[in-house]
Amino acid sequence: VAMNLAAGVASGTFIATVQQDFVPDPDRLVTVTASASGYQSGTATITVKNTDLPHLALELGAPMVGEGKAVSATLSHDAPTTNPVTVSLSTPGTSQLVIPDSITIPAGQSAMMFAISAVDDSQVEPNLIARVDANAAGFVGASALLTIIDNDLPAFTLTLAATSVSEGAGVE
């Protein structure tokens, strides 16, 4: 930024605009320097606070899982943190999946694997698309869809008109 000061004026005001970079990184200490020919330079520092939230990501090992089976999942984040990150997991609208209530990604790591299991019931039902949500304070949440494949077959009921027949009786 260039600024011209009129004769006899010792200071001036200028506007510095901070550009959002959409990258979750630490706050930065920025040094602003003013210089002019024939004058000693002046400096001032200002802290630029990052307002970009880090993101969670949830990746499934497969898009489908059969009842009674499990699929692997990877939970990750893009935060520049050395602290552990505790993430709450949920499956809104269904009790057909078994997941941990929460996962803690250890300090210094950015990802953690876990298993998602499909409940094996005895009900004949259509395949179900279920959502798994991941949320943590200070992060943009993530979700993934998983199709649960039913493994139950419809049952037939067979009723005989008679419990015994004679060899020579033929069709009755």
Side-chain angles (χ1 to χ4, degrees):
V1 174
M3 176 186 285
N4 292 319
L5 297 177
V9 176
S11 65
T13 303
F14 67 94
I15 296 174
T17 304
V18 178
Q19 299 294 318
Q20 188 169 10
D21 62 3
F22 303 102
V23 176
D25 49 13
D27 295 346
R28 303 277 181 188
L29 188 61
V30 176
T31 301
V32 179
T33 303
S35 61
S37 179
Y39 289 87
Q40 205 173 19
S41 296
T43 61
T45 57
I46 186 168
T47 301
V48 177
K49 296 204 174 271
N50 187 12
T51 59
D52 301 307
L53 289 178
H55 292 81
L56 295 173
L58 181 59
E59 185 177 326
L60 303 178
M64 295 180 250
V65 63
E67 286 184 341
K69 305 286 184 191
V71 64
S72 65
T74 302
L75 179 64
S76 62
H77 66 78
D78 61 1
T81 181
T82 56
N83 297 321
V85 177
T86 300
V87 180
S88 298
L89 300 172
S90 63
T91 54
T94 184
S95 58
Q96 294 285 350
L97 293 176
V98 178
I99 60 170
D101 291 333
S102 65
I103 295 283
T104 298
I105 301 173
Q109 295 185 24
S110 61
M112 186 81 163
M113 290 186 71
F114 66 99
I116 300 173
S117 301
V119 174
D120 191 6
D121 59 22
S122 59
Q123 296 177 348
V124 177
E125 55 206 349
N127 293 342
L128 172 70
I129 298 175
R131 190 177 83 220
V132 180
D133 289 341
N135 292 291
F139 285 80
V140 176
S143 63
L145 297 178
L146 182 61
T147 300
I148 303 167
I149 307 298
D150 187 51
N151 65 355
D152 302 303
L153 298 173
F156 288 101
T157 302
L158 179 61
T159 305
L160 300 175
T163 57
S164 66
V165 291
S166 168
E167 275 183 7
V171 178
E172 293 182 11

